[in-house]
Amino acid sequence: MMNNEYWQPELETMPREELKKLQVKKLKDTINVALRSPMYGKRLGELGITADSIQTVDDIRKIPFTTKDDLRNNYPFGLVGGDMKDAIRIHSSSGTTGHPTVVAYSRHDIDSWANMIARNMYMVGCRDTDVFQNSSGYGMFTGGLGFQYGAERLGAVTIPAAAGNSKRQIMFIKDFGTTCLHAIPSYAIRLAEVFKEEGVDPRSTKLHTLFIGAEPHTEEQRRRIERLLGVKAYNSFGMTEMNGPGVAFECKEQNGMHLWEDNYILEIIDPDTLEPVPDGEMGEMVLTTLDRTMMPILRYRTHDLTRIITGECPCGRTHRRIDRIKGRTDDMFIIKGVNVFPMQVEKILVKYPGLGSNYLISLETIDDNDIMTVEVELDDIVSDAYPELQKMTKDIQRALKDEILLTPRVKLVKKGSLPVSEGKAVRVKDTRPSRQ
């Protein structure tokens, strides 16, 4: 592959041994920043861990894991090792119980992140001659501004369309000559439906590349999106704690996502034994930031299940590839790009005295749209008067929307009509297509 296929050829094709040396140097720098944070200063200090403790990448295993609870318990700035006067942005996760997870960024961190997004976009053929449209939400959600800054770094014309309003999205695609689009998979299919309703053939537009991610999707769903819109669709991985989108991205081979190892150390562990698994085996992904000067995170347990794809990629990049996310080790689920915990639903339901304690969250795909339904049993003393039940249903639906940032269907059912599990209650039934 020619050098003009790479955004940063010296980094993207760096020999593995050199890449490991770079990781060791960056990890030492990262530990020095982390030691200045309240949480890591105490945790690493008690173990006597300093930058000198790291001689090889494998030495990272001397460092304890970091969990989402650590971020919540040290809300908002307990992991910040930089000087907050140098912070220029804060993002937080949506849809989490209790405190959100918060990340503070320095200008260096934003520049580094924007560069990664630009690298990803360039990798799949986007250039400064392209017109990029972002149908992702802006605000505290990282998908909007993350891609915005990356596309600007690339030099593309950017259209910050934000989420929703499909007819307007299509108008922009036609009128502005959009060539590249960022959308969650379910919304990409919805756009294809609206194209059809409007009598517009997507192939009559200039659209050629789609960036998809933020929610689970199958290979079949990806290929369907490509057929419906007449584009190439590339899978991506990101999470708020690690910056946001851009952590890993497919190249033109569409066979696994290159995880940028000059910015992260990647580990795959057995979630039960917490020991590393051999390359190619499924396990929980653990990530360490290597290029953040404000709020580094060490050995973060993502709870995402994936594997390292073995062998060299024909594209010539030396950064290892991860498979698409196959599931999670905790009870969180993702729907329409939003992280939801069953406990968030339960927190709302217990506020209504007319409800019993048994509930079930059903996730299914209907007409290519992911639907969340909450069924909850009524207390046997509640009136079955339809107007009262209808009002309660709407009240619960509104309260859930405020809590989880999307509107589920709500069904109130008779006491004893939901299945009762022996042992731990089964709260989520997910019948969406498996993550192939």
Side-chain angles (χ1 to χ4, degrees), residues 217-273:
H217 63 281
T218 62
E219 181 64 18
E220 180 186 36
Q221 189 176 0
R222 184 246 289 275
R223 296 304 177 194
R224 182 153 186 248
I225 289 168
E226 291 185 328
R227 288 195 302 272
L228 289 171
L229 292 175
V231 298
K232 293 295 285 183
Y234 297 95
N235 192 16
S236 64
F237 169 80
M239 61 194 318
T240 300
E241 297 86 345
M242 292 294 116
N243 280 352
V247 176
F249 217 88
E250 284 184 326
C251 63
K252 289 182 177 179
E253 298 294 323
Q254 293 182 306
N255 181 25
M257 296 172 283
H258 289 279
L259 190 137
W260 299 118
E261 294 181 89
D262 58 324
N263 288 290
Y264 303 96
I265 288 179
L266 166 67
E267 301 173 77
I268 307 290
I269 65 167
D270 183 310
D272 296 320
T273 67

Side-chain angles (χ1 to χ4, degrees), residues 332-369:
M332 190 192 88
F333 59 88
I334 302 173
I335 183 163
K336 297 187 182 298
V338 176
N339 299 345
V340 181
F341 288 84
M343 285 301 295
Q344 289 176 272
V345 175
E346 187 168 310
K347 182 173 81 172
I348 298 300
L349 298 181
V350 296
K351 294 179 180 178
Y352 292 84
L355 300 180
S357 59
N358 203 9
Y359 68 93
L360 179 67
I361 302 165
S362 298
L363 308 170
E364 56 188 332
T365 302
I366 301 174
D367 295 332
D368 297 312
N369 285 318

Side-chain angles (χ1 to χ4, degrees), residues 27 60 263-265 267 286-290 297-299:
L27 180 56
I60 196 171
N263 288 290
Y264 303 96
I265 288 179
E267 301 173 77
V286 173
L287 293 173
T288 296
T289 65
L290 290 178
I297 298 182
L298 307 175
R299 302 196 79 200

Side-chain angles (χ1 to χ4, degrees), residues 262-335:
D262 58 324
N263 288 290
Y264 303 96
I265 288 179
L266 166 67
E267 301 173 77
I268 307 290
I269 65 167
D270 183 310
D272 296 320
T273 67
L274 306 184
E275 293 297 319
V277 302
D279 286 359
E281 284 192 17
M282 193 66 61
E284 179 183 345
M285 179 163 51
V286 173
L287 293 173
T288 296
T289 65
L290 290 178
D291 202 34
R292 287 222 300 242
T293 61
M294 183 56 58
M295 184 179 153
I297 298 182
L298 307 175
R299 302 196 79 200
Y300 185 69
R301 291 190 62 182
T302 68
H303 290 292
D304 286 318
L305 293 170
T306 186
R307 68 186 181 95
I308 290 170
I309 295 176
T310 57
E312 296 180 2
C313 184
C315 80
R317 291 174 179 84
T318 53
H319 299 244
R320 290 178 297 177
R321 292 166 293 158
I322 57 170
D323 207 344
R324 67 178 62 224
I325 305 303
K326 299 294 185 181
R328 292 185 58 82
T329 63
D330 60 8
D331 58 358
M332 190 192 88
F333 59 88
I334 302 173
I335 183 163

Side-chain angles (χ1 to χ4, degrees), residues 7-25:
W7 178 249
Q8 295 175 297
E10 72 285 356
L11 287 172
E12 294 175 49
T13 62
M14 182 177 281
R16 292 291 310 170
E17 285 307 309
E18 286 185 34
L19 191 52
K20 287 181 180 179
K21 290 177 184 175
L22 178 63
Q23 287 183 315
V24 169
K25 178 185 181 301

